[in-house]
Amino acid sequence: MNTPIYDFLIRYTEQNPLRMHMPGHKGRGPGGVLDPAYALDITEIPGADSLFDAAGIIAESEANAAALYHTAGTFYSTAGSTLCIQAMLTLMGQENRRVLAVRNVHRAFLTACVLLGLEVEWIFPSYTGGILSGTVTPAQIAAALDASPAPACVYVTSPDYLGHCADIGAIAAVCRQHDAPLLVDNAHGAHLGLFTPSRHPIALGADLCCDSAHKLLPALTGCAYLHTARPRYAQRAKAAMSLFGSTSPSYLQLASLDLCNAYLAEHGAADLARVTASLSMLRQELADCWTFYPGEPLHLTLCAAASGMDGRELDKRLREEQIFCEYADRDFVVLLSSCCTTEEELSRLRDALRRIALYRGQPAQPEPFSLPVPEQVCSMRQAALGDYETLNVEDAEGRICAGIHVPCPPAIPIAVSGERISRECINIFRRYGIPTVNVVK
Ligand SMILES: Cc1ncc(COP(=O)(O)O)c(C=O)c1O
């Protein structure tokens, strides 16, 4: 597969250009290992195309990505899935649709709703992984759509932070019956199209979805895709993205997405099959000491407490072995692989987990978890954009949540802007070690 953006950057630097244009570094770094990257970091000079009006090398590269993902349109973001979520919801706002969302959303969804002035009808999953993970049934989605007094869309996060996947195929069928677009936050699933058959949300029937290329593919941080299966959204996607995106997207990121196409076309499926097989072996080899949370293969999620060790202790012991996880709390530790994880890295991980297993104690049952249905006092937008004060969570009972303030990762909200903070909410804040909360003044 060709790499038009990367090739353009290489050709440009090879002609020893006199750079009388931005950026100010003029192709030279200040000294250090990053220096070679500066030469490739350009702006929209002739021939370089323009991200939100793409008609040249960027359009060509995006068409390559669309061919790989079998979409009606795939569009690059250099501002992560966050920008794609803003664009997906803009498209829904243009159709005056109500938003029905499964509650374990990332905060990027909430900030987009605040910016767009959208209100949300929540569908609560049955939680199996604290605030991070749970299951929603197609019947729940159907009931929410049946109850909706106006045209709606459905928003689902899958895979979730622990790697658990929703039944996108069945949910998509329900959405089709109700003429409701299905939007999937697939930030953690850019690799799912490499399986045979494809497990990618678009292949399973979603209308729109976002993938963070940077999370599980070999792409620079901030790289993401907005995909759609519908030509009507493909036509409007760029305009929707340009409402929020910078006019100075990074060409290093664009080149990284371009190179990622070639990688996916040539090696992606084979590498994913290799890593998936090795991870499956690793799970079997460690089954006598560690329990794993069910989910898509690249999320190696340990049920730490249920295996006899607090997840934060496991994280600490892993760090002593120079192994750094994606996320840890009392119950779970998420270890993320990718197509690029090597056999040597997995065997180092397996050996470390074996050694650390010797320190396990008594298995602890996961703390029971439920999120009480919150009382919505005012609109999300009003609460998030108004004046606020920061309180210790202990002092926040009865107050209204202002801007979302949750640590990232996992950035999954407990109380949402405009909701009254209850005693149960405070207990959940404490459980996740969140000391303060912003409340409406
Ligand atoms: C489920 C989910 N959705 C969206 C996002 C935002 O993605 P990005 O950081 O690519 O903007 C994240 C980031 O962690 C996420 O975990």
Side-chain angles (χ1 to χ4, degrees):
M1 182 164 273
N2 71 345
T3 50
I5 303 175
Y6 175 74
D7 296 350
F8 178 87
L9 298 183
I10 296 294
R11 275 199 308 278
Y12 183 65
T13 54
E14 282 176 355
Q15 62 194 311
N16 187 25
L18 173 52
R19 300 178 189 230
M20 302 306 291
H21 57 73
M22 299 170 198
H25 57 63
K26 304 301 171 194
R28 296 177 292 273
V33 290
L34 277 185
D35 276 5
Y38 281 71
L40 300 171
D41 181 45
I42 61 159
T43 186
E44 284 90 350
I45 56 173
D49 209 359
S50 175
L51 180 56
F52 297 128
D53 296 295
I57 55 173
I58 297 175
E60 195 185 342
S61 182
E62 288 179 327
N64 285 343
L68 285 168
Y69 281 92
H70 305 288
T71 64
T74 290
F75 307 100
Y76 291 163
S77 162
T78 58
S81 281
T82 300
L83 176 61
C84 307
I85 292 167
Q86 291 163 339
M88 292 197 288
L89 292 172
T90 299
L91 295 169
M92 295 302 104
Q94 288 168 350
E95 294 184 351
N96 271 321
R97 289 186 183 275
R98 294 159 60 84
V99 182
L100 314 181
V102 182
R103 176 78 176 204
N104 59 334
V105 288
H106 185 265
R107 76 168 177 212
F109 168 82
L110 297 169
T111 52
C113 290
V114 166
L115 293 173
L116 291 161
L118 298 174
E119 290 305 315
V120 180
E121 300 286 325
W122 295 112
I123 303 169
F124 290 88
S126 47
Y127 289 98
T128 48
I131 190 88
L132 305 175
S133 184
T135 300
V136 68
T137 64
Q140 276 178 284
I141 304 282
L145 285 167
D146 286 337
S148 176
C153 66
V154 171
Y155 185 95
V156 177
T157 304
S158 174
D160 63 29
Y161 218 86
L162 299 188
H164 175 75
C165 292
D167 186 348
I168 296 297
I171 293 172
V174 167
C175 288
R176 263 196 310 280
Q177 281 157 14
H178 289 79
D179 204 16
L182 172 61
L183 282 50
V184 179
D185 176 345
N186 184 49
H188 289 239
H191 60 293
L192 294 175
L194 295 170
F195 287 108
T196 307
S198 174
R199 302 181 198 172
H200 192 266
I202 294 291
L204 299 177
D207 295 274
L208 284 155
C209 97
C210 64
D211 302 356
S212 292
H214 66 94
K215 292 194 197 298
L216 284 108
L217 296 180
L220 290 177
T221 293
C223 290
Y225 310 107
L226 171 61
H227 302 289
T228 181
R230 306 281 161 242
R232 73 174 190 278
Y233 297 136
Q235 276 159 18
R236 292 170 163 232
K238 288 278 184 188
M241 294 176 97
S242 73
L243 274 179
F244 301 97
S246 164
T247 51
S248 304
S250 157
Y251 270 82
L252 292 177
Q253 285 175 262
L254 294 173
S256 152
L257 283 161
D258 193 37
L259 289 170
C260 192
N261 287 337
Y263 168 80
L264 292 176
E266 285 150 38
H267 308 287
D271 281 359
L272 181 63
R274 172 187 58 74
V275 177
T276 301
S278 302
L279 282 166
S280 161
M281 182 81 81
L282 180 147
R283 284 181 174 90
Q284 279 168 32
E285 286 170 356
L286 296 175
D288 59 327
C289 43
W290 297 107
T291 307
F292 297 95
Y293 191 75
E296 75 76 32
L298 296 185
H299 286 73
L300 187 72
T301 300
L302 285 96
C303 303
S307 307
M309 185 177 284
D310 187 307
R312 293 157 297 191
E313 167 77 11
L314 172 54
D315 171 40
K316 186 174 137 277
R317 290 188 181 274
L318 283 167
R319 275 186 279 125
E320 283 164 7
E321 304 244 9
Q322 309 307 320
I323 296 173
F324 298 88
C325 73
E326 166 66 23
Y327 172 78
D329 63 24
R330 170 195 178 272
D331 292 317
F332 300 103
V333 171
V334 181
L335 298 157
L336 279 188
S337 298
S338 89
C339 304
C340 305
T341 304
T342 64
E343 298 303 305
E344 191 211 345
E345 287 166 335
L346 288 180
S347 88
R348 180 172 158 199
L349 177 63
R350 187 197 49 227
D351 294 348
L353 286 171
R354 270 244 165 265
R355 276 192 295 278
I356 294 170
L358 299 174
Y359 299 95
R360 282 171 310 140
Q362 282 306 311
Q365 288 310 310
E367 277 183 53
F369 180 86
S370 74
L371 191 63
V373 175
E375 179 197 353
Q376 181 86 32
V377 183
C378 63
S379 76
M380 282 208 296
R381 185 176 169 92
Q382 207 182 344
L385 299 184
D387 197 5
Y388 70 91
E389 59 183 324
T390 304
L391 297 182
N392 290 328
V393 287
E394 285 304 336
D395 302 326
E397 187 171 354
R399 300 292 298 269
I400 301 167
C401 180
I404 300 295
H405 172 63
V406 280
C408 187
I412 295 170
I414 294 161
V416 163
S417 309
E419 290 177 356
R420 196 178 301 287
I421 295 170
S422 61
R423 175 52 43 192
E424 291 97 320
C425 263
I426 290 173
N427 292 340
I428 303 170
F429 278 120
R430 287 205 346 253
R431 168 172 169 169
Y432 284 95
I434 298 170
T436 58
V437 60
N438 293 339
V439 297
V440 172
K441 221 169 173 177

